[in-house]
Amino acid sequence: MVCVPRLMVAEDWDSPYSFFNPEYHIKNKDGSTRVIDGGLGRFLGVWNACVNVIYSYVAVDIFAATAAESRSLADSECMKMAARKITLRIIILYVLAMLTCSFLVPYNHPFLNGQAVSLATESPFVIAVVEAGLPIAGEFFNGMYLFSSFTCAVNSVYVASRVMHTLALRDQTGPEFITKRLQQCHAGVPTRAVLVTVAILALGYLGPGTGPGDRLRELSSNCTVSFLIVYGIICATYLRFYLTLQEENKLGNTAESQNGVYDRQNPRYPYKSHGQWLKASFGMVACFILLVFNGIPPFLKDPFDVRAFIVSYISLPVFVLLLVGYKIRRHGLRLSYWGAECSNDLRNCVQTTSGTHRKGRLIFPDHGPTRRNWRTFFAWVWAWVK
């Protein structure tokens, strides 16, 4: 028997292999399942997927935590290229992987709709290889998931402990007896900060539930909301930074050596990319919309799921409480000083050291297929893939 590979045809995109599931399943506390179909069910499914996907993309900027140790830190374009390459690689790999799964696993598969025997069998990749007759590959995938989770945990502990140690060095970790202990290092490692950070991992084992999958979903939901707050504030900060650059550029009293810091049209301006203001505005609005409406599922359950509602929105009052505490510590009860604080200080801005030749941009030096053009092309490809 000879197996001939079949090309993808239009039917592979039809139901039940299309992108949108017309049914949205709601699991009540008593174990019963309610189905919302039609346009509303499709919208709820897409909305819930957006909130879940954000958790997969959080902390893509974590590479910046190690920027101070980079050999090329003086070159401002290195961090920009790192941000672009990491983001593009994650998006491309994620989209291609899910596109492949959509051809192999239908959206109405029972394991994808709450009937899986365990959390490990809910993965569409595991479902695809097991139904293809390769159960060993499913075990391999689960092993890779565990290894990936472990490496992510190690990475998160590293970054979180470093942030906590840095805050302690700046006397921003509360009482003095706590700050002094977090400042201590052993062989260059902030052991106290690491231990405090690792202790937070125990939260994953707290609370009653049917299994670790429930705790994971709650922690991921809370993490997503927390990052949405941070990303929304970052976008708002950039919009203020953009406005400050425009104001400084209009004044026209800057030194010629600093023109690359304030003028977006200057070839030595390091921050420019296409549609920055529009991207920041869209990101800020999208973050706040997702932040406000991320807790839709608790309202659809019968009875109302108080626990899920608290998990979805607890980060908001915590953020407000931290913000109020910061304002009280800095300004006391003088409410007139509690507004947005913008230093508008651009003295720490840098210019790119590469002049008119920007990394990641393909500019041929000659006309036609010359040797220098080929060398430039391969150097451009290498800059994006290395």
Side-chain angles (χ1 to χ4, degrees):
M1 180 178 179
V2 179
C3 295
V4 180
R6 183 177 65 88
L7 297 177
M8 294 294 179
V9 294
E11 287 75 9
D12 292 315
W13 298 85
D14 294 339
S15 179
Y17 293 92
S18 58
F19 283 111
F20 304 105
N21 188 348
E23 296 182 351
Y24 182 74
H25 296 259
I26 303 172
K27 190 174 183 179
N28 298 319
K29 287 186 177 181
D30 58 359
S32 61
T33 302
R34 184 162 62 97
V35 178
I36 300 178
D37 55 6
L40 180 59
R42 186 178 292 108
F43 170 77
L44 291 174
V46 173
W47 184 261
N48 189 48
C50 290
V51 176
N52 292 332
V53 165
I54 290 176
Y55 178 71
S56 302
Y57 286 109
V58 297
V60 294
D61 54 347
I62 205 169
F63 66 91
T66 60
E69 302 173 7
S70 174
R71 293 180 300 177
S72 304
L73 181 61
D75 187 355
S76 58
E77 289 222 294
C78 288
M79 298 306 298
K80 182 184 72 175
M81 287 294 295
R84 290 181 175 179
K85 287 194 290 186
I86 289 178
T87 303
L88 288 175
R89 289 172 182 176
I90 292 177
I91 292 176
I92 291 174
L93 293 176
Y94 195 99
V95 170
L96 290 179
M98 298 312 299
L99 182 64
T100 303
C101 279
S102 68
F103 291 129
L104 303 175
V105 182
Y107 59 69
N108 59 356
H109 194 283
F111 284 8
L112 297 179
N113 293 276
Q115 300 182 25
V117 295
S118 65
L119 185 64
T121 57
E122 293 182 0
S123 170
F125 301 99
V126 175
I127 295 174
V129 295
V130 170
E131 294 196 348
L134 300 172
I136 297 179
E139 296 178 0
F140 172 77
F141 283 170
N142 282 325
M144 291 302 299
Y145 297 154
L146 291 176
F147 178 75
S148 176
S149 300
F150 175 75
T151 56
C152 289
V154 172
N155 190 41
S156 299
V157 169
Y158 167 76
V159 175
S161 60
R162 167 173 291 202
V163 172
M164 187 174 296
H165 179 65
T166 303
L167 292 175
L169 294 177
R170 298 171 63 91
D171 295 327
Q172 297 180 3
T173 51
E176 185 178 358
F177 73 94
I178 296 178
T179 300
K180 285 185 176 181
R181 285 165 173 78
L182 293 177
Q183 290 175 350
Q184 297 176 2
C185 291
H186 178 71
V189 179
T191 53
R192 302 290 180 86
V194 172
L195 292 176
V196 172
T197 305
V198 172
I200 304 298
L201 299 178
L203 292 176
Y205 300 94
L206 298 180
T210 57
D214 295 334
R215 304 288 76 75
L216 176 61
R217 294 186 184 93
E218 292 175 354
L219 289 175
S220 64
S221 177
N222 182 265
C223 178
T224 300
V225 174
S226 301
F227 269 96
L228 285 173
I229 296 174
V230 174
Y231 288 155
I233 298 299
I234 290 176
C235 291
T237 303
Y238 173 77
L239 292 175
R240 181 60 191 178
F241 168 72
Y242 184 88
L243 179 61
T244 303
L245 284 179
Q246 286 187 323
E247 293 174 351
E248 292 291 337
N249 191 33
K250 289 180 180 179
L251 293 177
N253 56 359
T254 59
E256 184 177 354
S257 60
Q258 294 294 319
N259 285 339
V261 174
Y262 307 109
D263 186 8
R264 288 176 52 83
Q265 305 304 322
N266 193 294
R268 298 180 67 86
Y269 180 80
Y271 314 107
K272 186 176 181 180
S273 65
H274 298 290
Q276 278 182 303
W277 186 90
L278 182 61
K279 293 175 184 176
S281 301
F282 173 79
M284 182 181 66
V285 174
C287 285
F288 290 141
I289 290 178
L290 289 170
L291 182 65
V292 174
F293 296 102
N294 81 93
I296 291 180
F299 292 92
L300 301 177
K301 294 184 178 181
D302 187 21
F304 176 75
D305 195 341
V306 179
R307 181 188 180 94
F309 176 80
I310 294 176
V311 169
S312 299
Y313 292 103
I314 188 62
S315 296
L316 282 173
V318 170
F319 173 75
V320 173
L321 183 63
L322 292 174
L323 183 61
V324 171
Y326 169 79
K327 294 295 184 180
I328 293 177
R329 181 181 179 183
R330 185 175 178 86
H331 304 293
L333 297 178
R334 294 174 293 179
L335 301 182
S336 59
Y337 291 88
W338 282 27
E341 300 181 19
C342 304
S343 64
N344 296 330
D345 185 7
L346 300 177
R347 289 177 297 179
N348 62 341
C349 294
V350 296
Q351 302 181 75
T352 177
T353 58
S354 54
T356 57
H357 178 68
R358 308 299 292 268
K359 291 184 178 180
R361 181 176 298 179
L362 181 60
I363 301 178
F364 291 112
D366 303 323
H367 294 284
T370 63
R371 178 176 297 181
R372 286 208 307 167
N373 282 352
W374 282 109
R375 189 183 300 114
T376 302
F377 174 75
F378 286 115
W380 173 76
V381 172
W382 176 247
W384 281 101
V385 301
K386 69 177 180 179

